Amino acid sequence: MIELRHLRYFIAVAEDLNFRRAAERVHIDQTPLSRTVRDLEDQLGVQLFVRAPRKLHLTPAGLRLLQDARKIFIRIERTYRAVRETDARFRAPLRIGVADGIAQPKLSECMVRWREVAPEIPLELTEMRASELADALQREELDAGFSFGLPDDEALAQQPAWSYPVMALLPIGHELAGQSVLPIADVLAFPLLSCHAERQPGLLRQMQVIVDRYTSTPTLSGEACT
């Protein structure tokens, strides 16, 4: 079976056209080097060198093998480099951006699960606004992010991570407060407190989609500061 050492020794001899210099180059004695080249010729069934007194030439088959053998080692080196780079990437921290004030149990569960799956890879969590999250993802300063949704952008892929039921926050004593399930139409009959447009744009868009199904003119009493 042809091994990499056969090709490595062959390249040394083919480039130096001298067994003594080639042996020094690959740090072995001349005899085992010559024997390895002969073994390569036997396995291929061709003559790679024309051996004349004080002179060594490559045959056409030897020239072809030299070209292909060099390409093989170039590809091997590229593979080594790609594997090392991949390993380095997987050892780098996983950079996560968190926007829209998401600090929920589900996010904590995701972090715990990640520690179980890849304990050797650290996590870096950064809180930011949704607009900053989108910019950081496009600049590849983050690997992923969590928000209530970003504006549609071909450069970003958005996938649902989890969902929660819509909850109504009502003052104590409100006429709807005693009900376990509230029709959204009943809630919209009262003034609403809106999400902050800059701090929680994704959540605001989701709520607008729900509200628009029932009314085009909701009554807003104000905007939350956080």
Side-chain angles (χ1 to χ4, degrees):
M1 182 177 66
I2 296 176
E3 302 175 5
L4 288 179
R5 65 182 179 87
H6 288 95
L7 298 179
R8 186 177 295 109
Y9 293 170
F10 164 75
I11 290 174
V13 176
E15 290 179 345
D16 288 330
L17 293 177
N18 184 286
F19 277 97
R20 180 183 57 79
R21 289 197 300 268
E24 293 174 353
R25 175 175 165 182
V26 295
H27 308 293
I28 64 171
D29 291 335
Q30 184 174 335
T31 299
L33 174 63
S34 179
R35 185 167 55 245
T36 301
V37 172
R38 286 285 190 187
D39 182 47
L40 178 60
E41 290 178 317
D42 291 342
Q43 292 195 59
L44 292 174
V46 298
Q47 187 175 353
L48 300 173
F49 295 97
V50 175
R51 296 166 175 82
R54 299 184 181 180
K55 214 165 191 181
L56 195 65
H57 296 288
L58 282 166
T59 65
L63 285 169
R64 176 57 188 271
L65 180 60
L66 178 60
Q67 295 173 359
D68 290 348
R70 284 170 171 166
K71 292 177 182 178
I72 288 172
F73 280 99
I74 290 173
R75 292 175 64 180
I76 290 174
E77 178 57 32
R78 287 176 179 170
T79 301
Y80 285 162
R81 190 181 305 119
V83 170
R84 288 193 294 267
E85 290 174 354
T86 299
D87 181 71
R89 284 197 299 272
F90 277 95
R91 291 179 183 275
L94 182 65
R95 303 164 300 174
I96 303 293
V98 180
D100 289 334
I102 292 182
Q104 305 180 29
K106 285 289 186 181
L107 180 59
S108 299
E109 291 174 11
C110 288
M111 302 302 102
V112 171
R113 179 58 179 156
W114 177 259
R115 295 294 189 191
E116 295 174 350
V117 172
E120 73 283 1
I121 302 177
L123 280 173
E124 289 184 359
L125 291 180
T126 305
E127 290 192 71
M128 58 186 64
R129 294 187 177 184
S131 59
E132 296 172 336
L133 175 61
D135 291 341
L137 287 168
Q138 292 183 1
R139 293 194 301 268
E140 298 186 357
E141 295 173 356
L142 295 174
D143 300 304
F146 290 96
S147 77
F148 284 108
L150 299 174
D152 291 337
D153 191 322
E154 293 182 354
L156 299 176
Q158 301 190 57
Q159 295 291 334
W162 61 79
S163 63
Y164 282 107
V166 177
M167 307 293 291
L169 299 179
L170 303 169
I172 296 177
H174 193 282
E175 61 185 89
L176 299 179
Q179 302 182 40
S180 58
V181 178
L182 294 175
I184 293 181
D186 291 353
V187 176
L188 295 179
F190 296 89
L192 302 177
L193 187 64
S194 174
C195 303
H196 195 284
E198 291 186 5
R199 292 188 174 89
Q200 296 179 315
L203 181 57
L204 178 60
R205 280 193 298 274
Q206 290 194 42
M207 296 307 300
Q208 285 175 335
V209 170
I210 296 174
V211 170
D212 289 346
R213 295 175 185 170
Y214 297 89
T215 178
S216 59
T217 56
T219 302
L220 299 178
S221 62
E223 184 180 77
C225 296
T226 59

